[in-house]
Amino acid sequence: MEVKLWNDKREREMYENLAELYAIIKATEKLEKAYVRDIIPSADYEIECQKLIAHFKTLSSAIKDTVPSIERFHDTYKMDCLAALNRLITSGVPATVEHRAAAAASGGTSAAIVAECVQNFITAMDSLKLNMTAVDQVFPLLSDLSGSLNKLSILPPDFEGKTKMKEWIGRLAKMGAADELTEQQARQLHFDLESSYNSFMAALPTAGA
């Protein structure tokens, strides 16, 4: 006998989102344990952790009316994933990024601002992957990123991320709010964000040295 879990498309989507949230939390817990036990290389851990965090933030924002409390969701399904909750909710960045931020902080840079920059990079890149290409969607993300980068005294005025974000913000400012980036523009912006992010991450250990 087949048991139907949903009555319509909306209910089906809700259950699929809940299943996805459950899977993300469980996957993050396993990833955190693998990193702590030195089973996975730091570079691989960071890439996978960033993906999970980005997906989590996008999904949790979309289902905030259905799941107003991730902690309660965690407790209701007896998940026992405290490391995942810490990484996804409390920290919001991979452990490797926290370590770099701490190193930078020892050189007089705020770890909170470093984490803010990382999250703004990830949010902007993830939004483009979700085809959020309207000017009124992209502009605030780049403005937030530019603002957080400008707070860091360790970055020179001609830092790649600063100059590229300034150029993109100027370009978007000349467009209408409802205008959308072309596929080529969106691809170039994502490339510039990824390149700037890599340069940013490479700069942190030097800053903390």
Side-chain angles (χ1 to χ4, degrees), residues 2 34 101 154 162 194:
E2 183 179 347
I154 61 170
K162 287 184 178 182
E194 192 168 37

Side-chain angles (χ1 to χ4, degrees), residues 1-13:
M1 178 179 175
E2 183 179 347
V3 178
K4 198 171 184 179
L5 296 177
W6 52 80
N7 296 314
D8 52 39
K9 183 179 179 181
R10 188 170 184 176
E11 274 195 14
R12 177 178 180 176
E13 184 177 350

Side-chain angles (χ1 to χ4, degrees), residues 54 57-58 118-128 132 141:
K57 289 190 176 295
T58 302
V118 171
Q119 191 53 59
N120 285 336
F121 267 119
I122 293 174
T123 301
M125 288 188 286
D126 199 50
S127 295
L128 288 175
M132 295 173 62
L141 299 178

Side-chain angles (χ1 to χ4, degrees), residues 124-146:
M125 288 188 286
D126 199 50
S127 295
L128 288 175
K129 289 178 181 177
L130 294 173
N131 294 319
M132 295 173 62
T133 56
V135 171
D136 59 355
Q137 293 174 318
V138 179
F139 190 90
L141 299 178
L142 299 189
S143 294
D144 288 345
L145 173 56
S146 180

Side-chain angles (χ1 to χ4, degrees), residues 44-64:
D44 293 341
Y45 160 80
E46 186 171 312
I47 292 172
E48 295 306 316
C49 192
Q50 286 172 349
K51 290 179 183 177
L52 287 169
I53 291 171
H55 292 327
F56 169 77
K57 289 190 176 295
T58 302
L59 180 61
S60 59
S61 177
I63 63 174
K64 60 183 178 181

Side-chain angles (χ1 to χ4, degrees), residues 35-205:
Y35 175 67
V36 169
R37 295 169 184 168
D38 203 24
I39 297 175
I40 183 173
S42 295
D44 293 341
Y45 160 80
E46 186 171 312
I47 292 172
E48 295 306 316
C49 192
Q50 286 172 349
K51 290 179 183 177
L52 287 169
I53 291 171
H55 292 327
F56 169 77
K57 289 190 176 295
T58 302
L59 180 61
S60 59
S61 177
I63 63 174
K64 60 183 178 181
D65 292 335
T66 306
V67 185
S69 171
I70 301 298
E71 292 88 345
R72 187 177 300 172
F73 176 88
H74 170 273
D75 294 341
T76 298
Y77 292 100
K78 299 178 173 57
M79 300 183 69
D80 192 24
C81 297
L82 297 181
L85 290 187
N86 176 66
R87 185 62 51 213
L88 296 170
I89 301 174
T90 306
S91 172
V93 294
T96 46
V97 173
E98 284 187 330
H99 299 161
R100 287 195 185 95
S106 67
T109 299
S110 168
I113 297 176
V114 172
E116 180 184 310
C117 290
V118 171
Q119 191 53 59
N120 285 336
F121 267 119
I122 293 174
T123 301
M125 288 188 286
D126 199 50
S127 295
L128 288 175
K129 289 178 181 177
L130 294 173
N131 294 319
M132 295 173 62
T133 56
V135 171
D136 59 355
Q137 293 174 318
V138 179
F139 190 90
L141 299 178
L142 299 189
S143 294
D144 288 345
L145 173 56
S146 180
S148 58
L149 289 174
N150 286 328
K151 293 178 186 177
L152 286 178
S153 58
I154 61 170
L155 299 177
D158 60 348
F159 174 68
E160 177 185 358
K162 287 184 178 182
T163 57
K164 286 188 175 181
M165 291 312 103
K166 185 177 180 180
E167 290 172 0
W168 275 105
I169 289 172
R171 194 176 308 171
L172 294 175
K174 298 177 182 178
M175 299 170 65
D179 291 344
E180 295 206 11
L181 298 178
T182 63
E183 182 179 348
Q184 183 178 356
Q185 288 174 324
R187 186 171 181 177
Q188 183 62 51
L189 176 54
H190 188 276
F191 177 83
D192 288 345
L193 283 166
E194 192 168 37
S195 174
S196 298
Y197 175 73
N198 291 334
S199 297
F200 174 78
M201 297 302 290
L204 293 182

